[in-house]
Amino acid sequence: YFHPKEVYISDGVLNRGVITGAGKSLTNLDDDLDYRSNRAAFDNTGLEFVYPYGSTVSSAKPAVPILSSGKIAYPMNRPLAVVCDVRTAFNRPNAGKIVVIGSVMLFDDKWIDKEENSKIMDFIFKYLKPVEGNEEPSITLNSLDAEEPEVSDIRYLPNTATVAENLKGCLQEVNDIPTDWTTLFEDNPFQLDTSLIPEAVSLYERLGVKKAPLSVISPSFEMPLPSLLPAVFAPTIREPPPPLPPEFRALPQSPHRHLRMIDFWIYGLHRFDFDSVMGRFGDCYRRHLHGAL
């Protein structure tokens, strides 16, 4: 069973009455009185079962744990199934019995045939069978195992994710404090003297270096980019645009009247014949004299 929630338990029987009530016999020491009366002689084995997707339960007297997680599963030796006979525990003749199991899938169709889960089911049904009158019950638990079940106390686990996010101080172990506390002061690393000068001077001879003042070494800088070179071909300059034809020149943009007359004269020579231009030029000149242009 590879899933951590599917637990195989081979030493989880807390009461020898479960083994006999499930239809199995004890060891070859069944007839030995010491085995039936000595608690240490019972090692909680004899009935193997699979406990899938369950949890542990907490019990208190008069309840009696009958199954535990054993010594292999975690948490160890914690109750998994608890029974209580209300009739004898509280002296109620008309009361019944209670069985509490921490796994609802223990008797599921998928797990009923695994290991000896079916024998545990047979024991529970026989234990819960009502008894009429003074009839003796068919299932009886071992009184010694019921008084001293081998179970451990509950232990709460911390929230590891939350604890890991909180900073905690670390206490380091130290040696015992001596009687003379003045010996705890260490002043050697902070002394200032000339004790190391002879050793430093002797390094010239050991390294084969001439004892002389250090000279200035001119640094050499490496250029990360190549030097700039002049271009081989002259830059190509864009030619200016050609002037506009005379017929596209705007006459109203001339600032003075004389310039507008000259523009009109050039414009007329390109568009009309000479006689027409001279006639119109004469009309313009007369208007210019009278200030009407």
Side-chain angles (χ1 to χ4, degrees):
Y1 306 97
F2 300 102
H3 197 281
K5 291 289 186 178
E6 300 171 0
V7 185
Y8 169 78
I9 301 174
S10 60
D11 57 346
V13 181
L14 296 178
N15 197 292
R16 281 165 276 197
V18 178
I19 300 176
T20 56
K24 295 187 64 176
S25 61
L26 297 174
T27 60
N28 53 358
L29 300 176
D30 189 12
D31 297 331
D32 190 356
L33 296 178
D34 181 68
Y35 180 81
R36 290 184 292 179
S37 60
N38 188 4
R39 180 67 183 87
F42 180 51
D43 56 355
N44 299 337
T45 59
L47 190 64
E48 302 172 355
F49 61 97
V50 181
Y51 193 74
Y53 304 94
S55 61
T56 61
V57 297
S58 298
S59 64
K61 291 184 178 181
V64 179
I66 59 174
L67 297 178
S68 73
S69 56
K71 300 180 180 63
I72 304 299
Y74 186 83
M76 296 186 299
N77 295 329
R78 287 294 299 160
L80 303 180
V82 181
V83 299
C84 180
D85 190 349
V86 182
R87 181 179 54 180
T88 58
F90 298 97
N91 195 15
R92 296 179 181 178
N94 297 326
K97 300 177 182 179
I98 300 175
V99 177
V100 178
I101 303 177
S103 175
V104 71
M105 298 182 64
L106 183 63
F107 306 131
D108 192 77
D109 293 342
K110 180 180 178 181
W111 302 99
I112 190 65
D113 294 330
K114 300 291 185 180
E115 305 303 331
E116 295 178 308
N117 288 10
S118 59
K119 295 185 181 299
I120 297 178
M121 181 188 66
D122 295 339
F123 165 78
I124 293 177
F125 288 168
K126 292 178 182 178
Y127 180 80
L128 294 176
K129 181 181 178 181
V131 179
E132 298 179 359
N134 296 326
E135 182 183 356
E136 291 294 330
S138 59
I139 299 295
T140 56
L141 299 178
N142 186 286
S143 59
L144 183 61
D145 295 338
E147 288 294 330
E148 299 177 0
E150 189 178 352
V151 294
S152 303
D153 296 334
I154 186 172
R155 296 182 180 179
Y156 296 97
L157 298 178
N159 190 342
T160 307
T162 304
V163 173
E165 294 177 356
N166 299 330
L167 296 178
K168 287 188 176 182
C170 179
L171 299 179
Q172 183 178 0
E173 261 187 58
V174 296
N175 298 329
D176 296 336
I177 300 177
T179 306
D180 186 8
W181 57 270
T182 58
T183 60
L184 297 176
F185 294 100
E186 182 67 31
D187 55 352
N188 293 332
F190 306 102
Q191 64 184 1
L192 182 62
D193 54 15
T194 59
S195 61
L196 296 179
I197 292 180
E199 184 179 355
V201 174
S202 64
L203 290 176
Y204 285 99
E205 184 179 357
R206 293 169 57 186
L207 297 177
V209 179
K210 183 180 179 181
K211 185 178 180 180
L214 297 177
S215 60
V216 179
I217 300 175
S218 58
S220 60
F221 300 99
E222 296 182 359
M223 302 179 62
L225 297 177
S227 58
L228 300 179
L229 298 177
V232 179
F233 302 99
T236 304
I237 301 176
R238 183 180 297 178
E239 296 291 336
L244 295 175
E247 59 269 17
F248 292 102
R249 297 176 63 183
L251 297 178
Q253 294 182 357
S254 299
H256 301 288
R257 296 178 181 179
H258 297 83
L259 296 178
R260 289 203 299 269
M261 292 177 62
I262 295 173
D263 292 338
F264 182 75
W265 170 262
I266 297 173
Y267 176 76
L269 291 177
H270 287 81
R271 296 295 301 275
F272 306 102
D273 57 333
F274 182 76
D275 295 336
S276 301
V277 172
M278 291 301 296
R280 299 189 63 179
F281 181 75
D283 296 338
C284 292
Y285 182 73
R286 287 193 298 271
R287 295 178 182 177
H288 171 66
L289 293 179
H290 296 285
L293 185 60

